[in-house]
Amino acid sequence: MTSSTFTVLSPVTGQPVTEVALASVEETDAAIERADAAFPAWRDVAPGERARLLRAFAAVVDAHLEELAQLEVLNSGHTIGNARWEAGNVRDVLNYYSAAPERMFGRQIPVPGGLDFTVREPLGVIGVIVPWNFPMPIAGWGFGPALAAGNTVVLKPAELTPLTAIRLGELALEAGLPEGVFTVIPGKGSVVGERFVTHPLVRKICFTGSTGVGKQIMAGCADQVKRLTLELGGKSANIVFADADIAKAAATAPYAVFDNAGQDCCARSRILVQRSAYDEFLGRLETAVGAMKVIDPADDASEMGPLICAKQKETVLGYLDGVEAAFSGSVPDSAGDGFWVPPTVVLTEDTSTPIWREEVFGPVVAVMPFDDEADAIRLANDTEFGLSGSIFTRDVGRALRVARGVQAGNLSVNSHSSVRYWTPFGGFKQSGLGRELGPDAPNAFTEEKNVFIAQD
Ligand code: NAD
């Protein structure tokens, strides 16, 4: 029995695209039970065979890359360039972790009187809960390493953006993954998501989303001491020192915050600029923001599309209510009923203002001057979040000091490096718990077992 359906709207036009059935608690339970039933056989698949199946899955994703990308443009309003990268990221993550089954190493630890070794054992059913801002990559960061480590996966996409996840579930079967190993269950957070948390057969929750919901899930997991990874919000700083290549810093800053219309947990939504370079930086930033191509995301040249939904647009505009923008970019003339907001730059010296403190999750950036290195680190760390950040300077010593001083999980110097699947990703403070991606990600979907064998 299906409890209800959800109408997916195009963010570009605001018009309906399709209806998606939302799973009930009973349907969720049935899917979890199928995933649990599929677990022993999947765990026991020979490592080389599991590797081959993951590579086959990657190849099928690659063969459908354009289809998946177009689907994301339709469902999420992502620029086609981004959407192609996102589908490619799923393929790359699967290929990367396809090397893991044959490398799930334990350790041999010296002990007196015998032999001690450790093994990594999969947990069972993993519940992956995905937000709407990057539906494909965030799904893949969960299911790729979880499957590689020998777990089965149930995955809940966000209500707003289920289409590519549903397609990925079909492609997994097409690639030869056995039934029940990877199941996509579209549904409400309060129904399917919560059931992942309360169902005893789900051994770990891999959640990406807002800090508020993450805290609720963490509290819910306590009941069964359920394993948990949280990737939550951010309010990252882009710190520009006067000794930096100011032209490069200003030219790249808009893309570090307005990419995906600012709906990015890593958005550098606070720009800190050393006072002596402040005017030059702002002048160049205005030129760069004005030149951003905010056009139909299906156009190959598009650099920014609309927001995901009317509610998100309203939330973002709420932050701008009564706030004077220093300058802003454009939206298409044909914006119509789509959920467009122009890239907007606000200047502030007030660290208590919501635009400086809260995750706007839209194309809004706040710029603030600072005096010296200590001041920059203090301001960057004056937040409950700690996900990412950038540092622009030509002084290598300063780059090292500031990179060590900023409390965030992912920093880049003289660049705004996006997430790389082969390096660890995650947040300090209230930006998260645990790490995804990188060489160790499969271990996070295992228990480490220690075995001692007496020699006499
Ligand atoms: P959200 O927290 O509202 O929803 C995320 C997912 O959780 C959705 O699938 C939703 O249906 C589900 N959910 C909602 N309530 C639930 C509940 N009670 N129990 C279980 N599941 C529930 O977040 P969103 O609005 O979809 O996404 C935006 C947020 O995600 C932003 O705060 C952003 O910073 C964060 N995010 C973080 C990262 C990261 O890696 N740190 C990456 C992307 C997005």
Side-chain angles (χ1 to χ4, degrees):
M1 190 192 74
T2 299
S3 51
S4 56
T5 61
F6 182 83
T7 306
V8 173
L9 302 179
S10 156
V12 176
T13 62
Q15 298 306 307
V17 169
T18 187
E19 298 277 321
V20 171
L22 299 174
S24 62
V25 172
E26 294 75 20
E27 287 166 327
T28 307
D29 282 358
I32 292 169
E33 281 156 26
R34 280 196 301 274
D36 184 60
F39 170 61
W42 180 245
R43 178 192 55 203
D44 293 343
V45 168
E49 176 60 7
R50 201 154 66 227
R52 191 193 65 74
L53 284 165
L54 292 175
R55 283 195 286 274
F57 189 5
V60 174
V61 169
D62 193 45
H64 292 82
L65 192 141
E66 189 60 23
E67 178 202 332
L68 287 163
Q70 296 290 350
L71 202 54
E72 205 64 276
V73 175
L74 185 70
N75 189 163
S76 308
H78 289 193
T79 63
I80 183 65
N82 277 9
R84 288 186 182 122
W85 179 90
E86 291 160 21
N89 184 262
V90 175
R91 171 203 57 210
D92 295 344
V93 164
L94 282 167
N95 272 327
Y96 180 70
Y97 290 112
S98 75
E102 292 159 302
R103 294 171 176 78
M104 294 298 297
F105 302 126
R107 291 180 291 178
Q108 187 269 306
I109 299 169
V111 291
L115 180 72
D116 190 283
F117 67 92
T118 66
V119 282
R120 291 268 174 196
E121 297 187 350
L123 297 167
V125 181
I126 307 295
V128 180
I129 303 176
V130 181
W132 47 258
N133 62 331
F134 286 108
M136 280 191 279
I138 291 173
W141 304 348
F143 70 69
L147 293 173
N151 303 277
T152 56
V153 171
V154 288
L155 182 142
K156 193 199 89 62
E159 291 89 319
L160 292 166
T161 56
L163 300 188
T164 48
I166 292 171
R167 193 71 188 111
L168 286 169
E170 294 165 356
L171 296 178
L173 291 175
E174 197 177 315
L177 265 72
E179 288 274 352
V181 166
F182 174 48
T183 312
V184 175
I185 315 173
K188 288 187 181 170
S190 57
V191 178
V192 180
E194 277 194 27
R195 193 61 188 135
F196 285 5
V197 175
T198 57
H199 200 301
L201 288 177
V202 177
R203 304 292 184 192
K204 174 169 179 168
I205 299 288
C206 180
F207 172 82
T208 305
S210 59
T211 299
V213 173
K215 287 178 184 177
Q216 273 181 45
I217 289 179
M218 190 173 178
C221 284
D223 193 44
Q224 297 165 16
V225 195
K226 192 167 286 193
R227 278 65 181 136
L228 174 69
T229 307
L230 296 173
E231 297 289 357
L232 308 175
K235 191 70 190 173
S236 299
N238 174 8
I239 309 172
V240 182
F241 287 94
D243 67 13
D245 178 344
I246 299 296
K248 179 181 174 188
T252 57
Y255 301 95
V257 57
F258 301 141
D259 186 59
N260 205 29
Q263 303 163 119
D264 183 341
C265 52
C266 291
R268 276 66 163 174
S269 54
R270 297 183 298 152
I271 306 181
L272 286 159
V273 189
Q274 197 158 19
R275 214 174 283 277
S276 54
Y278 189 69
D279 289 343
E280 183 194 347
F281 179 87
L282 280 183
R284 290 179 183 272
L285 182 67
E286 183 165 6
T287 307
V289 171
M292 264 195 102
K293 292 196 177 59
V294 187
I295 56 174
D296 181 356
D299 188 321
D300 274 344
S302 181
E303 293 179 324
M304 192 185 114
L307 294 172
I308 188 67
C309 63
K311 186 165 159 277
Q312 190 64 13
K313 177 176 172 179
E314 194 187 304
T315 305
V316 172
L317 292 180
Y319 278 103
L320 293 171
D321 201 21
V323 171
E324 197 188 333
F327 47 88
S328 54
S330 58
V331 295
D333 294 337
S334 58
D337 292 333
F339 312 129
W340 299 86
V341 173
T344 304
V345 178
V346 174
L347 310 182
T348 185
E349 297 216 30
D350 176 5
T351 58
S352 69
T353 175
I355 255 175
W356 189 257
R357 300 218 76 80
E358 293 173 22
E359 184 180 46
V360 176
F361 228 53
V364 179
V365 70
V367 188
M368 186 179 287
F370 68 87
D371 293 314
D372 58 20
E373 202 175 298
D375 197 25
I377 294 173
R378 182 184 59 76
L379 286 166
N381 288 339
D382 179 24
T383 167
E384 69 198 21
F385 296 113
L387 192 54
S388 65
S390 305
I391 300 150
F392 279 75
T393 176
R394 285 193 172 98
D395 178 335
V396 70
R398 164 171 287 157
L400 283 171
R401 287 190 301 273
V402 178
R404 296 306 299 271
V406 174
Q407 297 156 348
N410 308 271
L411 293 167
S412 49
V413 175
N414 295 328
S415 78
H416 305 286
S417 76
S418 57
V419 180
R420 296 186 177 89
Y421 56 83
W422 61 100
T423 59
F425 175 67
F428 279 32
K429 302 196 275 187
Q430 293 193 32
S431 283
L433 185 73
R435 291 292 177 273
E436 295 192 295
L437 300 176
D440 300 328
N443 286 348
F445 295 99
T446 64
E447 292 287 8
E448 187 174 35
K449 180 180 281 178
N450 191 72
V451 180
F452 169 72
I453 308 173
Q455 67 192 21
D456 46 19

